[in-house]
Structure formats: C-alpha cells, structure tokens
Amino acid sequence: MDKILIIDFGSQVTQLIGRRLREIGVYCEIVPFDKIPSIAGYNGVILSGSPCSVRDTNAPKPSLEGIKGQVPLLGICYGAQYLASSGGGTVEASLAREYGRAILTVKDSPLFKGVSRTSQVWMSHGDTISSLPEGATVIASTEDVQNAAFQLSDGKTFAVQFHPEVYHTVEGGRMLENFAKGICGCKGDWTPASFIETTVEALRKQIGDERVILGLSGGVDSTVAGVLLHRAIGEQLTCIFVNNGLLRKNEFEDVLASYKDMGLNVIGADASADFLSALAGVTDPEAKRKVIGRLFIETFDRYARSIEGARWLAQGTIYPDVIESAGIPGIASKIKSHHNVGGLPEKMNLKIVEPLRMLFKDEVRRVGRALGIKEELVGRHPFPGPSLAVRILGEVSEEKLRVLREADDIFIKGLRAYDCTGMGFPSASDPREMATNLYDAIWQAGAILLPVRSVGVMGDERTYERPVALRAVVSTDAMTADWFPFPYDFLRDVSNEIIRKVRGVNRVVYDISSKPPATIEWE
C-alpha cells in the first residue's frame, strides 16, 4: 500500500496534514521526531511544523540521513527551516514576522502544478529563512518573505514556510496532492474497502486462533471495531458491554438491544457499584480518567479468566485518542489521557489489539457504512470513554448522575425531535447529505453539570440549585470543532423543559467555545 510518513515536531496542526492526505485517498502515518522508523515501504516523508525555533539549543534536530535525497521530502514551516539550516542555509529571527493570511506568488514547480499564480496561504512563524542551502531554488514568495518556498536540485526535496494543511491556505490541498501523487507517485487508492481488506488480513495474522474480548460501548468506534473483528475472526470474538454506572439514561439496556441482530456474541456486565465506589472523593479529571481506565481493564481481566483461550483485549481507540494522549515530551503537551490508551496496569493479563487506531472519526464512519452497519449506530454521536464522569465537574455521586441523566435525556431527545429540514445544516456524519433533525446536524452533544450553585426563583420561592451547561459542536475529526448555531426557539424550549422537569437545576447555559482553545468535553 502506498503511504506517506509524517514526522511530527510538535505542531498543533500536524494531524491536519494526515487528514488532508487521507481525503485524497493517500494513507499516512504520524510519528514523533525521536521515533523515526525505517523509511522502507514509504513513498515519501513530510516534516511538520513546530512551536520551537531551529535556533533553539534544545530544538528537535533528528538525522535525516537515509531520508533526504532518498525519497521525496517536504518540509512544512519548522520542517522547511530545519531543511534550510541543516543543509547550510541560514535561519534568523524575522523582522517582519508573518502570522495569519498572506498572498503567495508561485513559480513553476511540481509542487505548485495547477496552483494559481497568486494564492492565499496561512503563515505562522517568527523565524525566516534568510539564505538557502547551496543548490536550492526559490519557488514561491510573499511580500515579506522572499524564501517562502524552495526546492533542492535533487528534484525530491521541497520546503514551504507556510501551512498547506490548514483550510485558510486556499489551495493547500492541491499542493499536498501534488506532493503525494505527483512527486511521490502515490495512487490514492486508500479507501474504506481497501482498509477493511488489509485490516481483516492483518488481524487474522496478528491474532491467530486465540480468543479476543472487545469492550462495546454502543458508540461508533467500538461497534465498527467489533464488526471488523467479527469479520476477521468470527466466533473467536466475545464482546462485553460494561455498565460502569456512568452511562446515559437507559443506555445499558438500549445498547444491548441494538446488538441483538448483528451476530455479535455480547455479554452485559454490571460493574456500576465498583466504579462509583472507586470514584468517591475523586475530583481531578485526570484522576477520574485513571480510575475508570484501571477498573475498565480490571473488569475485562476478570472476564478473560472465564473465557477459555482469551489472550487479547480489543478497543475502539481511534487516532485523536492516541494523539491527545501522547504529546511529545518538552514540545507538545498531552491534552488528556484516554481510558483506551492510558491507565493500563503494568501486569495486565491481556494483549491489546486496536484495529481503528490509525483512523479519524469520519473515516471510522465510512468504514462502518462499508461494513453494512445500520445508520442509527454509524451516525451516533461520540460519547467519552469515561462517560458522564467527565461531564460532572468535580466529584461524582448518584444524585449528580440522576440530575445530569435527566437533563441530558431532555437535550438529546429535543435534538432528535427538532425538524431542521431546509435550514441548510449538512449531516455531521455524512456532509454529502442535508440533516433533517438537529441531532444529525451535530457532531457531538451533551449536557454538563457544573460544580456551582446559583440563585433562582420558582413558584415565588427562592432556589439555590445547580446550573447545567449544554455543549454541541460540529467537526470532521474531533481535532478541531466549532459550536453549533442553534435556532433560538430550540434553546428557549429545551432550557424551559430542563428547568421545569429536572429537580436540582434552576439555570441552563450554552457553551459557545470552539476547539481550540477549549476541548469538546469540559474534563
């Protein structure tokens, strides 16, 4: 399979390079700069941006021996400046720093084939390349940056000081496609069908005749992972749906019912008492995630002992989970741990298999549709692995769970019931279609119980109760997200219904923060 290697220097938008390549059918993998694998089998390499300066003493400066001149190479922003400085050029602090939109003027180059002579790009750098390495040629400039892009005489190495991966670079997609398909020779034949074929084959080889236990949650990721594994290994798969006591209203029963006609061997495991007991007194969000992750694994470990030949624990981990839970020490911060990729006990009795680990959420949905999974499951909103524990800010209790479940149930049912036909909202799970209700127009939605109280008045009496925040966002891959522009009548009606029907709530607010700077979940 054709593939591109992306070397990550800690940029917050490195993942968008991968998204852009996947959109044109080119498979890619992102690795930290200090864990570069052999490039055998890769059609090309991309060096990402970074918050660092190449002039910093501790800046990441891996050896490019065996890469540069051997395969097509594209440096982006920091990557471009590292190619320049390591090749004998000069990088200096810029007197005219460029942040934001700029107009790029391009020259003839394979990288800019079909690109307009002048085009808007997105700059984000404080340094600039003041002199190029020997044999390098300028192929694009802006008004303030002469060496905005260059190529080396080897015909394989290219560099740009702007970010083609972000959507503000109007023709950035074409530039990346020129690199991947034109320069690297990738065919662009990575599709959901090809992913299924290669993954099924790899899973059979990886697992052999051993048994696998999968944690089902009712969400898109675990459902697609389950069907994919079942196609690969059939009856060797046992699925377990754990009731951690933190699920939405009636979710345990509803999820079990939804899998009855899918041919999966599903066991329902009620461990709610264990989870709630372990969470007593825990307020820190990372600590809550660790507790839930530990009990999640321990629960599966117990069930594994009763399933003869069980050697593997399968999880629906997807790429954003891995990226946000990793970080690059000293450069890119870990945003939050994820129960699929963090909190694993050192002496776990099961090996981990994660068939969706390299997919973004929208890619998981496309794979699910290719597998024939019903739309009500494929189009379901993401739900955090730690469940309502990270939507209750502070300590979790039975009473807080009751309040949040009731408020959330009213919110989600309201989204499904609101007819938005003709309002111009595309479907979040399939942008080629228009949404007919608000639930389908939204990527992810939920209610959050806040750890404060506010004064209110009900029936001429003073109340002192909790506010609930509503969160609803649109996104394509959960790496970035914008708040959803609700019709005012919906906000009015759902707020009134929550306050009237949910004992313990006297105020409803709507979160209009985007990601970044906020995250989708509050914890």
Side-chain angles (χ1 to χ4, degrees):
M1 179 175 62
D2 292 340
K3 55 185 178 180
I4 300 290
L5 179 68
I6 301 171
I7 298 175
D8 184 16
F9 290 104
S11 169
Q12 295 297 320
V13 292
T14 298
Q15 300 78 27
L16 292 181
I17 305 172
R19 286 289 300 113
R20 285 296 189 105
L21 293 176
R22 300 275 186 92
E23 286 171 357
I24 59 172
V26 176
Y27 183 73
C28 59
E29 295 174 1
I30 301 174
V31 299
F33 72 90
D34 57 348
K35 296 180 181 178
I36 302 175
S38 165
I39 62 167
Y42 290 98
N43 295 62
V45 175
I46 295 177
L47 307 179
S48 84
S50 174
C52 299
S53 164
V54 295
R55 297 179 296 109
D56 295 341
T57 303
N58 297 323
K61 298 178 181 178
S63 171
L64 298 180
E65 186 178 354
I67 299 177
K68 186 177 175 182
Q70 303 303 308
V71 295
L73 178 62
L74 172 63
I76 294 175
C77 201
Y78 176 92
Q81 293 171 356
Y82 181 52
L83 282 174
S85 63
S86 63
T90 305
V91 175
E92 298 177 337
S94 175
L95 296 177
R97 296 182 299 172
E98 285 203 351
Y99 292 99
R101 295 174 178 85
I103 299 301
L104 186 77
T105 301
V106 305
K107 299 179 180 179
D108 290 335
S109 168
L111 189 64
F112 298 130
K113 183 178 179 181
V115 174
S116 304
R117 185 63 62 182
T118 59
S119 182
Q120 177 183 289
V121 297
W122 187 263
M123 293 282 190
S124 182
H125 59 89
D127 289 348
T128 193
I129 301 169
S130 55
S131 67
L132 296 176
E134 186 177 351
T137 303
V138 176
I139 56 175
S141 304
T142 71
E143 182 178 354
D144 294 317
V145 180
Q146 172 64 28
N147 301 317
F150 67 88
Q151 66 186 52
L152 298 186
S153 57
D154 61 15
K156 296 181 177 181
T157 304
F158 300 81
V160 297
Q161 285 200 88
F162 55 88
H163 287 274
E165 69 272 29
V166 304
Y167 290 96
H168 299 298
T169 297
V170 176
E171 297 182 82
R174 182 183 295 274
M175 298 172 194
L176 289 173
E177 184 171 6
N178 285 340
F179 178 72
K181 292 183 176 180
I183 297 169
C184 297
C186 295
K187 294 183 288 294
D189 56 1
W190 188 77
T191 64
S194 67
F195 172 81
I196 292 169
E197 181 181 352
T198 56
T199 302
V200 164
E201 181 181 349
L203 288 170
R204 288 171 178 163
K205 188 178 299 184
Q206 180 183 14
I207 295 166
D209 59 359
E210 295 178 330
R211 295 194 64 83
V212 178
I213 300 174
L214 167 69
L216 281 178
S217 67
V220 180
D221 305 334
S222 66
T223 299
V224 173
V227 174
L228 194 59
L229 280 160
H230 187 264
R231 179 170 293 192
I233 61 173
E235 295 304 312
Q236 293 170 234
L237 174 67
T238 300
C239 301
I240 300 172
F241 178 40
V242 174
N243 181 5
N244 57 16
L246 307 166
L247 302 176
R248 285 172 160 173
K249 187 176 180 180
N250 301 324
E251 187 164 22
F252 186 57
E253 297 78 12
D254 292 346
V255 167
L256 288 176
S258 69
Y259 287 118
K260 283 185 177 178
D261 61 348
M262 296 181 65
L264 300 177
N265 177 23
V266 183
I267 299 172
D270 189 353
S272 55
D274 294 336
F275 280 82
L276 292 176
S277 175
L279 286 169
V282 181
T283 59
D284 179 76
E286 276 296 284
K288 285 193 284 187
R289 288 176 179 269
K290 294 293 185 180
V291 168
I292 293 167
R294 174 177 57 80
L295 288 176
F296 186 80
I297 299 300
E298 289 177 0
T299 300
F300 275 84
D301 205 23
R302 288 199 303 272
Y303 275 86
R305 299 176 194 277
S306 64
I307 299 174
E308 186 178 353
R311 297 291 181 269
W312 296 86
L313 171 64
Q315 299 189 125
T317 310
I318 63 174
Y319 217 6
D321 301 334
V322 177
I323 293 165
E324 289 195 341
S325 299
I328 299 176
I331 296 178
S333 299
K334 179 175 74 173
I335 298 171
K336 60 182 71 170
S337 66
H338 187 275
H339 82 281
N340 283 358
V341 291
L344 303 182
E346 292 182 4
K347 296 183 179 180
M348 189 178 63
N349 294 328
L350 297 172
K351 297 175 285 186
I352 297 293
V353 57
E354 298 169 317
L356 309 179
R357 186 180 178 88
M358 298 303 292
L359 296 187
F360 290 94
K361 177 72 74 173
D362 58 322
E363 295 170 331
V364 175
R365 295 190 198 278
R366 291 201 292 270
V367 169
R369 292 187 178 100
L371 287 166
I373 299 174
K374 49 193 174 185
E375 189 62 31
E376 65 187 74
L377 288 173
V378 174
R380 193 171 187 233
H381 285 185
F383 189 58
S387 308
L388 296 181
V390 292
R391 291 184 178 176
I392 295 174
L393 274 60
E395 184 179 5
V396 177
S397 69
E398 285 280 15
E399 173 60 15
K400 292 177 183 177
L401 284 165
R402 178 197 66 78
V403 172
L404 184 57
R405 284 192 180 108
E406 293 298 329
D408 182 82
D409 188 57
I410 291 170
F411 183 32
I412 299 302
K413 285 180 177 176
L415 294 175
R416 293 186 183 279
Y418 193 99
D419 185 356
C420 66
T421 304
M423 290 186 176
F425 295 130
S427 168
S429 65
D430 188 354
R432 296 169 297 181
E433 305 289 336
M434 300 306 294
T436 57
N437 62 72
L438 289 179
Y439 184 89
D440 289 343
I442 290 167
W443 168 271
Q444 185 170 342
I448 299 96
L449 187 63
L450 304 185
V452 296
R453 294 181 184 273
S454 67
V455 173
V457 58
M458 292 183 183
D460 294 327
E461 294 184 1
R462 179 185 185 274
T463 63
Y464 191 54
E465 297 177 338
R466 296 182 183 278
V468 163
L470 304 181
R471 182 72 160 143
V473 299
V474 288
S475 181
T476 56
D477 50 33
M479 299 309 303
T480 60
D482 288 322
W483 57 277
F484 184 79
F486 276 123
Y488 287 131
D489 61 331
F490 172 81
L491 288 175
R492 177 196 63 208
D493 293 346
V494 78
S495 173
N496 288 341
E497 188 172 1
I498 289 173
I499 292 172
R500 283 191 302 107
K501 293 184 177 180
V502 182
R503 178 171 46 85
V505 174
N506 67 356
R507 192 180 299 271
V508 174
V509 299
Y510 183 43
D511 178 357
I512 58 169
S513 307
S514 296
K515 175 185 179 181
T519 54
I520 295 176
E521 298 294 340
W522 280 40
E523 287 193 344

